[in-house]
Structures are given as C-alpha cells and as structure tokens.
Amino acid sequence: MGELVADYFLKRLREWDVHRIYGYPGDGINAFLGALDRADGDPDFIQARHEEMAAFMACGHAKFAGSDALGVCMATSGPGAIHLLNGLYDAKLDHVPVVAIVGQQKRSSLGSHYQQEVDLQVLFKDVSEFVQVCMDPAQARHLVDRACRIALDHRGVCTIIVPNDVAELKAVESPPRTHGSVYSSVGYRRPRVLPQEHDIQHAAEILNEGEKVAMLVGQGARGAAEELERVADLLGAGVAKALLGKDVLADDLPYVTGAIGLLGSIPSYDMIENCDTLLMVGTSFPYAEFLPKEGQARCVEIDISAGMIGIRYPADVLLIGDAKETLRALEPHLVRKEDRGWREQIEEGVRDWWDIVERRSMMDADPMNPQRVVHELSQVLPEDAIITADSGSSTNWFARQLKLRKGNLASLSGTLATMVPGVPYAIAAKFAHPGRPVICFVGDGAFQMLGMNEMLTVKRYMERWHDKRLVFCVFNNQDLNQVTWEQRVMEGDPKFPATQWLPNFDYAAYAELCGLKGIFCDDGDRMRSAWEEALAADRPVVLEVKTDPEIPPLPPHIRLEQAEEMAKAMVKGDPERMGVMEKSLRGKLIEFTEHLKS
C-alpha cells in the first residue's frame, strides 16, 4: 500500500517538529488511526478520556513545552469535533498556538443531512485564525504548512478538516506543475520586532520623569526576566503581575508585589492606586478598577501585537515589539533614580503582605484552612516544579499564597477562565517535561466534572515518566465555592445549596482504585508532611485536602458596594452566615493589625 493522505499529514507534521498529538479516536479519522499505527510512535498519539481534554492538553503543551512549541489535537467528525471547542477557545483567548485536525463525512455525502454531518468550517470559524477543508490530496502539503505557520505567528488556533474519503486517498508529495498548483515550505522563526527609535526615546523620557513608577507585566513578558529586573531597578519601580504572568518573575524578589485584581495582593493595589507612571509589558489585564484612574498616570506600554496594545489604559507611548528586545533597547536611555523612597515603600508593603499571607494561612478553620494548603507547598516547592491551576476558589490561593521561585513554570486558563483545564494542563506538562515535578490545583467541582476521568490517562502513561512526581491537589469543600462567594458579594444573594452543594467523594480512595497513590489530609499541622509525602511518592498522587468553604477569598480592597451586597446576603439567611462573618472579620483584622505595626 502506498502512502495515504493521512500518512502524509503525519509526515509533514513531523517536519514541523510535532511529535505528539492529543486526541480521541472515531470513525471519521480511521485513516489517521491507521497512519498513526504505521508512524511507529512519531508522532505519538496520546489518548485522552474526552476530546475536550485533548484540546486542553494541546493548549497546555504549547504553554509549557517552549516559546515556539505547537500543540496539536485530533478528533473525529461531528460530536468529536464539537467537543474540542472549549479547549480551543482557551488556546485562542490565551494566545497559544494550537492546530486541530478533525474528520468529516465523505465529500459525496456533504449537504445531504448525513449522520454526524456538521458544517465544521462554520463551527470552527470563530475560534480559528485559519480553517480549511482538504478536498484534494494535493492540498495536504500547503494546508499543513499554512496551519502550522499561522498558528505560530498569530499565536492562535488553526483547524484542518479532512473528509474521511480524502484521508484514504493516495498522497501527493508534490502537486503537478499546472495552473492552480501551489508549492509551500516548512519553517518559521519568530521575527525580531522593535519599535521606532524615536518612540523608545519618548518612552524613556516619560519613565525618567516619573517619580512613582509602577510596572505591570503579563505572559507576553515571559523570557524577559533579566531585562525586567534591570529596568525595575533603574526606575525604582515595583512590579505587579497579571495572573497569566505569575511565573514571569519570582515572588521572592522584594519589589514584586504579586498578583493584581480581585485575586490580587494589597501591595499591588496600593502601588497602582498611588503611582504617577505606569509601564505595562506584555499584558492585557482587563479590569479598569484595578488600574490607575484615567489621567492619574502617564503610561508606556509594550506589546508584540498592535491589536492588543492601547486597549486597557490610555498610553502616552505605544511600543509595538517583542518584550525582551524592546526592554533591551529602552534600557540604555533610562536614568537610575537616586531617590529610592518609592521603592522602599513598595518593598515594605511586600514584606507586610507576605506576613499577612502567612497569618491568614495559619488561621484556624473547620476542618482545614485552604490557604494553608498552598502556603505549606511554598515552603517545600521544588525549584524546577511546574504548577497548573483550575478555575475556582483554589485559584485565589494559587494567585496569593503560592510563592514561585526562579525556574518555576505556572499557568491556568487566564482569559476564558474555564473550569477543567488544570488536570489536562498538568498531564501535558508532564509529557513535555517528564523529568520535572508537576503539581495541579483543582477544586472538587472541576475534578468531578471531567478531571477525575483523566486519572485513567495518568495510569496508562505514567511508566513513560522516569520522574513520577505528578500531584493532583483536590480541594474538597463540597461547594462550587467561587460562585458561592460571587453570589454573596456581587448579587447580595445567600448561598443556594441546590446549585452550589457538591456530593462528597473519596478522591484519595479513587486514586488508589486507579493504581495511583491517594493521600488524605484535613489537618493544617500535617499539611507540610502531606506535601513531602506526595512529592516523594513512587507514582502519581491524588492529594485530597478537606477544606473549609467559609474561608473568604478577601479582595485587596473591599469597596462599599461589595460590603453592602455581602451584608444583604447575610441578612437574607445565608446558611453559613455565622462562620462567614467570623472568618471574614478575622481575615481583615490580620490586615488591620499588620497596618498598625508598620
């Protein structure tokens, strides 16, 4: 049998340095399944438990495997293709390069209301930078090349739809030299993008004139840590981080104020409220109430994309360019500020903040304070660890309590903020870095939704990882806790158990049933030893922590309207009102006493 179109697709992907495809089988991609068998493991097919999880794994792979890594997922026609969408939208909104390959019914059946026939071009049009149907074997070459190159360059999703009868045809390596044929090539290297020199000089003038400079960095600044540190030192600035940029700079730097926003820190809030100059690097942080008031601060912004710059805060200078290269070009024009009073004020606020974090983490709770779970991990976190987080109340503790070190990697669904990606991100990270420890924070809601199914995937593939340190920390509070708090603070409604309550489940025992190690902890004093046990295990671990749902995810500043809505929720008869009120007050008292000390 000669090479089929399906075989050619895989061969061309190998030339694009794609050696792993995440997916789930189905008859719409039968030809690809046969081609994967013939490919002898290159590319390797990783079978997730659900197509949505495969798409999240492709997104996670692109996030963790390197700056120009390409994630690839595959699904069958109709229902399988539809299942990919949530994970692909996660990649689209977080600007991550992913290529999706999906099956389709035979060409002759299209338009006949055939079984599993879906208009996939329309379906994938919004999520994709490029979407096309392979209608002829001669197309395969340029469709793969364009999809890979556009995904990498635009940092987005590209989709190739392959009818199953086309996938079974004989491949065409090189189209005939006739009118209409095209000849594409493999290869992409990210260009060196720099702003105009006079814009760099103008930006430097503004930054040099500023007396209270604040920096806000996001994932677009990843890889520019040394440049950010030097610029922050010259400007006497503090650095706040958007959540997708949590691993851009280490949290143990004395001027790094931590996260910003509702999940952010007090020193980040105070710095932004009082700055007169703002330098934004690689971030599209969207919440205006946590940025300076319009007119308060002069602003310089750096971003690689003209489409994403100047859309959050009015900027005096827009520097369109790569963060690392642009900061290097800017640095020689900056004058070191001799007055370090602003910087000293920021560093004092950071020291006070970490003391608040520790004291809040050590508060008593019933049965255990979820903040302490993450605080104790910070004490034993391996320097090369990769951390993934899901969306939920545990995200608050990831944002605030987790103290990342230089060398750690971390990510979550930043823009879509969807539930479920924490687990598949962690699995993809482990495939990308089999010699590094990987830790996932996930709530019981997301784990019950889809996450626990993937423990079977972990069991299937764990022998491939010579370093077995893969820990899924499940926060078991039997509550869709983030939504519960949003009900209280945003709507003034009490917790409604019919929508918020979750059935209890023995996650540690389930891990053992799956052939993994299960650890249960409901005692804060044993939490550090539980982490040490999990990180020393001879196989992947589900670390179930039984936590108190009444611990409030206190914002860095409580606005009057938030306090009023919270009071309404309590008056209406919230079933946890006594515990919520007591623990909220205790958390704020810790902050108040720290303020008095300083």
Side-chain angles (χ1 to χ4, degrees), residues 17 63 89 173 191-192 202 250 288 298 303 305-306 315 382 431 539 585:
D17 203 26
K63 285 187 172 189
Y89 270 103
E173 180 84 30
R192 185 171 184 255
H202 186 198
R298 302 174 77 185
D303 202 285
S305 170
F431 273 113
R539 58 193 187 276
L585 180 61

Side-chain angles (χ1 to χ4, degrees), residues 149-172:
R149 189 174 292 110
I150 292 171
L152 288 166
D153 188 63
H154 293 200
R155 294 187 180 275
V157 174
C158 291
T159 305
I160 307 174
I161 302 159
V162 188
N164 53 29
D165 59 325
V166 175
E168 296 167 352
L169 294 175
K170 184 178 179 181
V172 174

Side-chain angles (χ1 to χ4, degrees), residues 24-33 51 73-85 100-107 109-110 114-121 123-124 133 159-165 167:
Y24 199 81
D27 60 5
I29 52 171
N30 274 344
F32 281 98
L33 305 181
E51 292 92 350
C73 57
M74 182 180 290
T76 188
S77 57
I82 293 167
H83 283 159
L84 291 175
L85 285 175
I101 300 171
V102 296
Q104 178 59 293
Q105 299 305 307
K106 290 184 178 180
R107 291 169 294 175
S109 69
L110 297 179
Y114 201 76
Q115 185 189 33
Q116 295 190 335
E117 181 191 351
V118 174
D119 191 338
L120 296 178
Q121 277 190 285
L123 183 71
F124 286 93
V133 181
T159 305
I160 307 174
I161 302 159
V162 188
N164 53 29
D165 59 325

Side-chain angles (χ1 to χ4, degrees), residues 13-325:
L13 286 170
R14 280 195 297 272
E15 295 180 48
W16 277 96
D17 203 26
V18 172
H19 303 287
R20 187 173 299 116
I21 296 173
Y22 300 94
Y24 199 81
D27 60 5
I29 52 171
N30 274 344
F32 281 98
L33 305 181
L36 284 161
D37 186 23
R38 294 187 290 274
D40 293 326
D42 190 14
D44 191 12
F45 184 81
I46 304 301
Q47 185 201 83
R49 310 272 60 75
H50 191 284
E51 292 92 350
E52 181 176 346
M53 304 300 265
F56 281 127
M57 289 178 191
C59 180
H61 177 93
K63 285 187 172 189
F64 291 116
S67 58
D68 281 325
L70 184 65
V72 179
C73 57
M74 182 180 290
T76 188
S77 57
I82 293 167
H83 283 159
L84 291 175
L85 285 175
N86 196 32
L88 295 182
Y89 270 103
D90 185 43
K92 171 189 171 74
L93 296 183
D94 278 357
H95 308 287
V96 177
V98 169
V99 171
I101 300 171
V102 296
Q104 178 59 293
Q105 299 305 307
K106 290 184 178 180
R107 291 169 294 175
S108 60
S109 69
L110 297 179
S112 69
H113 192 64
Y114 201 76
Q115 185 189 33
Q116 295 190 335
E117 181 191 351
V118 174
D119 191 338
L120 296 178
Q121 277 190 285
V122 171
L123 183 71
F124 286 93
K125 183 177 181 180
D126 180 63
V127 77
S128 302
E129 299 286 334
F130 171 83
V131 56
Q132 195 56 251
V133 181
C134 184
M135 300 297 288
D136 187 278
Q139 282 181 279
R141 173 173 160 181
H142 70 80
L143 290 184
V144 173
D145 292 345
R146 290 208 72 207
C148 293
R149 189 174 292 110
I150 292 171
L152 288 166
D153 188 63
H154 293 200
R155 294 187 180 275
V157 174
C158 291
T159 305
I160 307 174
I161 302 159
V162 188
N164 53 29
D165 59 325
V166 175
E168 296 167 352
L169 294 175
K170 184 178 179 181
V172 174
E173 180 84 30
S174 181
R177 190 168 178 266
T178 59
H179 183 72
S181 291
V182 292
Y183 299 86
S184 61
S185 54
V186 170
Y188 175 78
R189 189 181 297 276
R190 191 161 300 282
R192 185 171 184 255
V193 181
L194 276 172
Q196 296 290 337
E197 179 62 26
H198 67 271
D199 289 329
I200 290 174
Q201 292 178 5
H202 186 198
E205 290 170 5
I206 290 173
L207 295 170
N208 287 331
E209 290 169 4
E211 296 180 0
K212 298 178 177 180
V213 182
M215 294 172 61
L216 174 57
V217 304
Q219 67 168 345
R222 189 171 286 115
E226 293 181 4
E227 290 76 13
L228 289 169
E229 290 178 32
R230 290 197 299 267
V231 168
D233 180 63
L234 288 168
L235 298 175
V239 184
K241 300 185 289 186
L243 203 48
L244 276 172
K246 184 171 174 64
D247 62 353
V248 167
L249 284 177
D251 287 309
D252 52 12
L253 294 170
Y255 53 86
V256 170
T257 61
I260 188 172
L262 275 172
L263 279 61
S265 72
I266 294 170
S268 290
Y269 181 87
D270 290 344
M271 179 178 69
I272 295 297
E273 281 290 295
N274 294 292
C275 72
D276 62 17
T277 308
L278 178 64
L279 172 58
M280 299 172 69
V281 185
T283 178
S284 62
F285 176 77
Y287 302 118
E289 66 270 32
F290 291 99
L291 294 173
K293 298 179 182 68
E294 188 170 8
Q296 169 191 327
R298 302 174 77 185
C299 177
V300 172
E301 185 173 3
I302 300 171
D303 202 285
I304 192 69
S305 170
M308 295 301 296
I309 200 169
I311 62 173
R312 302 304 186 206
Y313 189 80
D316 296 86
V317 183
L318 305 174
L319 298 179
I320 301 170
D322 173 78
K324 188 181 186 76
E325 297 285 354

